[in-house]
Amino acid sequence: MIPDIEKASSAEIKAFQEGQLQTLLNYLSTHSAFYKRLFETENIDINQLKTLEDLASIPTTTKEDLQQFNDDFICVPRHKIIDYVTTSGTLGEPVTFALTDNDLKRLAHNEAISFACAGVKQEDVIQLMTTIDRRFMAGLAYFLGARELGAGIIRVGNGIPELQWDSIKKFKPTYIIAVPSFLLKLIEHAEKQGIDLNASSVKGAICIGESLREQDFSLNILSKKIKEKWDINLFSTYASTEMNTAFTECEAQQGGHHHPELIIIEILDENNQPVAPNESGELTITTLGVEGMPLLRFKTGDIVKAHHDPCSCGRNTTRLGPVIGRKKQMIKYKGTTLYPPAMHNILNDFNEIESYIIEISHNSIGTDEILLKIATTNPTDLFLRRIKDHFRAKLRVLPKIEFCDRKEIQKIQFPKMSRKPLMVIDRRA
């Protein structure tokens, strides 16, 4: 189930996207109060924008724009809105997105071809271990995508390892969708209950929310810990509410594939210029085929690297490597530039660590400070020294570390109405 455009040449893909861009610009100039105002203020003649390179003449859109002018981005009358979703608000106020019936069909198509990318077929059964309620787009997208593909889906929701295993035994899913660290909890429960992990029906996991790989696509520590116990295929998928689109690994597992019929991507530097080949930058997206709330040159805040070499799966599309970090969560610490995922990778290496929070703040002289709050089964000076040695060896810097009660950390991680755990608390102004 590979769309023809994804097997086309780079030149054909570019020509296709330029045609779709024309359609989008005309739609925005007619229906979007925000973009209509932007085109007028910046004296942009959309009829002069013919190529993907011409996008550079349009100012980028930011999360702050969405927060400040949320309703001005909505392009349809209220009676056309079928579903409302909101962003998680990890880095600021949540933003509401309005989806039409066509948007839901597009979302289903996106997830169906993304599932197919990971090898899911019509005869497969998928167990969904994320929430489908609380205005959460991802869970809805997975459900709609499974229906579009014709695969079965079991809506268990997040958490509760006992219920997850009961459902696996009863319904025999072949794929599961989960946050990777939750797979460790499933493994722990199985071992305690004498469940033979590798005798289960599950052959693959589509993982969200946490990275599975290093930048060279080798397994990171979290993935290795899963694979040591449970011999299943792990597929990474990356998406956001703003994109209405997913980048999912194929069976070659060399990055998440771009769907050019659904989204235009740019990787930009600090000056909003395209980065050089093999350089990382901020993923900036333009949605195609979205009715309710399309976006033009929206800066996602995610730092990524694009890969353009041919893939063995037959797709000729760009692939995105693992997210290096959120731009706003970049930390300048003792002369070193860090992103939280690098610290996640180190902390995940210790079985004795039950949970943790990374707190970032400014000290009295205005420079960045890092405090790691860790809940552990081994709160000893010796174990603390092991963690510190690991940080010095891997990152060459040592954050402040304190041991905390597990319940205290869980209270911070799961604030009221939270849809996913908070792993990073940024207290910088």
Side-chain angles (χ1 to χ4, degrees), residues 16-62:
F16 170 83
Q17 287 205 315
E18 287 171 347
Q20 294 298 302
L21 177 61
Q22 290 291 310
T23 301
L24 172 67
L25 291 171
N26 287 324
Y27 184 80
L28 291 175
S29 68
T30 305
H31 299 287
S32 171
F34 178 85
Y35 286 112
K36 195 184 301 183
R37 188 164 64 240
L38 178 73
F39 296 155
E40 290 171 0
T41 303
E42 299 292 328
N43 294 316
I44 294 171
D45 180 0
I46 61 169
N47 295 313
Q48 298 300 312
L49 306 178
K50 304 292 186 185
T51 69
L52 296 187
E53 289 78 12
D54 292 338
L55 276 170
S57 64
I58 304 172
T60 57
T61 300
T62 65

Side-chain angles (χ1 to χ4, degrees), residues 62-355:
T62 65
K63 177 84 80 171
E64 289 72 26
D65 292 325
L66 294 183
Q67 290 165 336
Q68 190 176 354
F69 305 107
N70 201 162
D71 287 354
D72 286 354
F73 283 88
I74 298 175
C75 293
V76 294
R78 190 177 181 86
H79 72 271
K80 292 268 287 181
I81 300 171
I82 301 299
D83 190 73
Y84 294 88
V85 299
T86 52
T87 59
S88 59
T90 305
L91 297 176
E93 284 297 311
V95 172
T96 297
F97 274 77
L99 281 75
T100 66
D101 188 54
N102 283 334
D103 290 337
L104 291 179
K105 290 174 182 175
R106 179 189 177 282
L107 198 62
H109 172 73
N110 155 74
E111 208 56 61
I113 59 178
S114 296
F115 280 149
C117 209
V120 183
K121 298 180 174 60
Q122 186 175 14
E123 57 267 26
D124 284 305
V125 177
I126 305 165
Q127 184 156 317
L128 181 59
M129 299 183 182
T130 67
T131 185
I132 198 170
D133 56 5
R134 299 188 183 180
R135 305 192 301 270
F136 190 41
M137 180 182 276
L140 176 64
Y142 295 133
F143 177 75
L144 293 174
R147 297 310 315 124
E148 175 84 5
L149 188 62
I153 190 160
I154 310 157
R155 294 177 292 107
V156 182
N158 56 356
I160 321 176
E162 184 177 359
L163 179 58
Q164 303 292 355
W165 276 113
D166 178 66
S167 300
I168 290 170
K169 289 178 189 174
K170 191 173 292 184
F171 303 114
K172 296 183 169 42
T174 44
Y175 286 85
I176 57 179
I177 300 172
V179 176
S181 55
F182 183 65
L183 298 183
L184 293 178
K185 290 183 168 59
L186 289 181
I187 291 168
E188 180 184 1
H189 180 84
E191 290 178 334
K192 285 180 180 177
Q193 298 301 315
I195 297 169
D196 185 348
L197 287 158
N198 293 307
S200 79
S201 58
V202 179
K203 63 182 182 182
I206 295 168
C207 296
I208 67 166
E210 295 171 346
S211 180
L212 292 174
R213 307 191 191 284
E214 306 286 2
Q215 288 301 311
D216 64 357
F217 301 118
S218 62
L219 294 177
N220 64 13
I221 288 167
L222 179 57
S223 302
K224 286 177 181 175
K225 289 175 80 169
I226 295 166
K227 294 278 286 182
E228 280 167 7
K229 300 287 184 72
W230 202 357
D231 186 22
I232 54 176
N233 284 316
L234 300 176
F235 296 94
S236 181
T237 186
Y238 161 69
S240 71
T241 302
E242 295 91 349
M243 295 193 293
N244 281 238
T245 313
F247 295 78
T248 304
E249 288 183 330
C250 68
E251 288 168 320
Q253 298 176 335
Q254 295 290 300
H257 276 280
H258 170 216
H259 300 308
E261 65 273 46
L262 300 178
I263 196 166
I264 295 169
I265 60 173
E266 303 171 79
I267 313 291
L268 303 181
D269 64 16
E270 290 285 338
N271 300 312
N272 291 334
Q273 296 301 311
V275 299
N278 300 315
E279 292 292 322
S280 60
E282 185 173 4
L283 177 66
T284 301
I285 58 96
T286 296
T287 55
L288 300 175
V290 173
E291 257 186 355
M293 212 167 138
L295 295 178
L296 178 65
R297 302 201 82 207
F298 173 74
K299 300 179 77 172
T300 64
D302 291 328
I303 305 300
V304 300
K305 186 185 290 186
H307 298 264
H308 304 286
D309 48 309
C311 184
S312 60
C313 72
R315 293 173 180 83
N316 289 330
T317 52
T318 298
R319 303 182 312 283
L320 295 184
V323 174
I324 297 166
R326 302 299 301 267
K327 185 178 179 183
K328 284 192 174 180
Q329 291 179 342
M330 184 179 74
I331 309 161
K332 297 274 192 177
Y333 189 64
K334 297 180 180 178
T336 299
T337 298
L338 297 176
Y339 290 98
M343 290 183 278
H344 295 321
N345 206 26
I346 291 173
L347 294 168
N348 287 333
D349 203 15
F350 294 97
N351 293 328
E352 301 96 325
I353 293 178
E354 298 176 302
S355 58

